[in-house]
């Protein structure tokens, strides 16, 4: 099992933005990574 | 070769589950696709694998169900199986489904090329009598039954999984399955329910060696209770045929003790080997390992980047749904998407009654990976739904990480386990915790509540059992 905890849709989103999930700090429960965490890591503005 | 001069954007070699998924997804994404197939579309799964075995299992289950109906007062005469009709019904299902794949090809404008394929160079494949060029290729040639030299398959007395699908009339009185994996056990139950006296032998010390030990042992106990003999730690050395009977020499792997037992039909189900020979892979620069598997990366690319490989030919687990997913990934990458084979777990199922189904890590695997393992169990004997179905043999075992409460795996022995196992598959992909499952309302009465209770048992809060 990979150490990153992210849903399949978030993992795909990270691939599309070219973000390495192992470098993303997840802010959710059990350090889960959200789409917002990926966006922040990619330096993209958050969407309201 | 220029990109404009090729016949197709993509040529898929093989129309099994992996190949036809790849072809259809690539066509959905706008590529000009052809799929070469030397046999029937649908591959092993539809023609001589998943589908026909499930049909036979269902038919055998009808006989078992009729006997069990006595418990609630329903009696029938002695069941009579019209074997020609059984084979015909099974073949009809296969025909409908393979016809369905052909129709999907047509609807998606996938060209079906008939014939055996062989690379002439890295951009040209000979299919039957014609040369076909393409920008990309997906090799999805699958696998075939591994042989066991002392038992040469004649598809009459010594059969592989394909031969075992043709139920003979009269039925073999004594049936031996060599190998207690999914294929051996499923056919054992088919022939047992139809009326043969059945034994399964397995070299390893447990049935379904890849499964969780507790689950596999509980499963074996239930199959034995049904009347299927299982000899573990046993191998078959060979046989002699006398008066039409097969005198098979069996050997206890630990003690070396030998004995001879008599059978009428022997199934060789000791594994499958990849079909990677005679494909001209050398001229295409595609590397194959010493066991014949094609090496691929997460994008399903081989050592020749525009040639991809998916399914059984790239390695274990040799499961249809794994091939299907890999097919989608390869097609998406070829169409320019940033797709890769990125899954937490692939479910595995043995489709007997009860089923043995699991997803994620076994207890031993979780410990080996360094997790602080917690387990929760729920026996089907405490399930109201299982009682109403007359099938209370089985259990759910859930495995979690004590530190994070994350679900690591679930191992289910239960009727229809494959259908409610998907819940745990989603939990694993979503990185759900045991608490997430506990807080999810499960319909009552259902077998799926056993997953909820096993999760609650991890926290010592299952309601319908004492929590130990």
């Amino acid at each position: 099992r990979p150490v990153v905890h992210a849903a399949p849709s978030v993992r795909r989103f990270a691939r599309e933005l070219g973000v390495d999930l192992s470098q993303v700090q997840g802010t959710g429960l059990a350090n889960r990574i959200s789409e917002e965490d990926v966006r922040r890591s990619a330096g993209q503005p958050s969407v309201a | 070769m220029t990109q404009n001069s090729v016949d197709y954007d993509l040529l898929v070699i093989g129309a099994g589950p992996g190949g036809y998924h790849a072809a259809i997804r690539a066509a959905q994404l706008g590529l000009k696709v052809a799929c070469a197939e030397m046999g029937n579309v649908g591959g092993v799964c539809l023609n001589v694998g998943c589908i026909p075995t499930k049909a036979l299992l269902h038919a055998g289950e009808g006989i078992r169900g009729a006997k069990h109906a006595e418990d609630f007062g329903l009696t029938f005469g002695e069941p009579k199986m019209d074997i020609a009709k059984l084979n015909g019904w099974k073949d009809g299902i296969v025909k409908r489904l393979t016809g369905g794949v052909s129709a999907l090809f047509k609807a998606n404008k996938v060209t079906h090329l008939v014939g055996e394929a062989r690379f002439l160079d890295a951009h040209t494949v000979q299919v039957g009598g014609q040369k076909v060029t393409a920008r990309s290729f997906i090799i999805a040639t699958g696998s075939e039954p591994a042989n066991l030299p002392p038992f040469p398959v004649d598809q009459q007395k010594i059969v592989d999984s394909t031969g075992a699908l043709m139920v003979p009339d009269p039925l073999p009185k004594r049936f031996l399955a060599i190998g207690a994996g999914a294929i051996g056990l499923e056919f054992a139950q088919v022939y047992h329910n139809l009326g043969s006296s059945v034994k399964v032998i397995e070299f390893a010390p447990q049935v379904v060696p890849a499964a969780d030990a507790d689950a596999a042992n509980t499963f074996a106990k239930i199959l034995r209770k049904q009347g299927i003999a299982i000899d573990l730690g046993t191998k078959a050395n060979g046989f002699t045929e006398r008066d039409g009977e097969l005198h098979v020499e069996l050997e206890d792997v630990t003690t070396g003790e030998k004995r001879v037992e008599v059978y009428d039909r022997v199934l060789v189900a000791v594994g499958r080997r990849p079909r990677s020979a005679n494909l001209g892979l050398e001229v295409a620069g595609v590397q194959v390992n010493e066991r014949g598997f094609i090496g691929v990366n997460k994008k399903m690319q081989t050592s020749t980047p525009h040639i991809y490989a998916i399914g059984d030919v790239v390695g274990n687990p040799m499961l249809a749904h794994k091939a299907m997913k890999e097919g989608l990934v390869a097609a998406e990458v070829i169409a320019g998407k940033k797709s890769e084979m990125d899954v937490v777990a692939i479910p595995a199922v043995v489709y007997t009654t009860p089923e043995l189904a699991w997803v994620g890590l076994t207890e031993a695997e979780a410990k080996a990976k360094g997790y602080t393992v917690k387990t929760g169990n729920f026996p089907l004997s405490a399930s109201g739904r299982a009682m109403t179905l007359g099938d209370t043999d089985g259990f759910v075992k859930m495995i979690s990480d004590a530190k994070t409460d994350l679900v690591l795996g679930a191992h289910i022995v239960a009727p229809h386990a494959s259908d409610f196992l998907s819940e745990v598959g989603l939990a694993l992909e979503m990185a759900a915790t045991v608490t997430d499952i506990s807080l999810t309302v499960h319909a009552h009465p259902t077998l799926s509540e056993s997953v909820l209770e096993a999760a609650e048992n991890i926290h010592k809060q299952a309601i319908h059992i004492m929590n130990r």
Side-chain angles (χ1 to χ4, degrees), chain A residues 1 5-6 11 15-16 32, chain B residues 338 340 342 429 431 436:
Chain A
R1 186 194 176 85
H5 302 308
R11 303 205 295 270
R15 277 197 300 278
E16 285 166 352
R32 266 188 221 128
Chain B
K338 289 179 175 165
E340 55 182 46
D342 167 30
E429 293 296 345
D436 291 326

Side-chain angles (χ1 to χ4, degrees), chain B residues 8 30 54 96 105 120 122 129 133 166 178 252 263 326 356 392 405 421 457:
Chain B
Y8 296 98
K54 265 80 264 180
R96 278 212 298 287
F105 272 5
L120 298 177
T133 57
M166 265 301 154
I178 303 176
D252 186 312
Y263 293 95
E326 290 176 343
L356 166 64
T392 52
D405 195 43
L421 176 75
N457 180 241

Side-chain angles (χ1 to χ4, degrees), chain B residues 184-206:
Chain B
L185 291 174
E186 288 178 8
F187 276 115
Q189 195 172 60
V190 165
Y191 280 85
H192 167 73
N193 281 340
L194 292 177
S196 298
S197 158
V198 172
K199 177 176 275 189
V200 185
I201 61 161
E202 168 60 47
F203 188 88
Q206 75 170 45

Side-chain angles (χ1 to χ4, degrees), chain B residues 153-167:
Chain B
V153 168
D154 63 10
Q155 302 296 33
Q156 299 295 326
K157 288 194 174 315
I158 311 285
V159 296
D160 61 17
S161 53
T162 304
L165 282 173
M166 265 301 154
V167 180

Side-chain angles (χ1 to χ4, degrees), chain B residues 139 141 276 279 281 286-289 292-296 302 309 313-315:
Chain B
I139 301 168
T141 46
S276 58
L279 268 171
L281 295 181
V286 173
Q287 277 162 24
V288 171
N289 77 10
F293 291 111
I294 298 174
V296 288
T302 67
V313 80
V314 307

Side-chain angles (χ1 to χ4, degrees), chain A residues 1 5 30 32, chain B residues 399-401 404-408 431-434:
Chain A
R1 186 194 176 85
H5 302 308
R32 266 188 221 128
Chain B
I399 295 168
S400 72
D401 174 29
T404 57
D405 195 43
L406 283 159
V407 177
L408 298 178
T433 60
V434 176

Side-chain angles (χ1 to χ4, degrees), chain A residues 6-36:
Chain A
S9 54
V10 174
R11 303 205 295 270
R12 181 169 71 184
F13 184 60
R15 277 197 300 278
E16 285 166 352
L17 292 189
V19 169
D20 176 3
L21 277 183
S22 66
Q23 304 301 314
V24 178
Q25 179 60 47
T27 58
L29 187 69
N31 299 322
R32 266 188 221 128
I33 300 167
S34 67
E35 210 169 284
E36 187 56 36

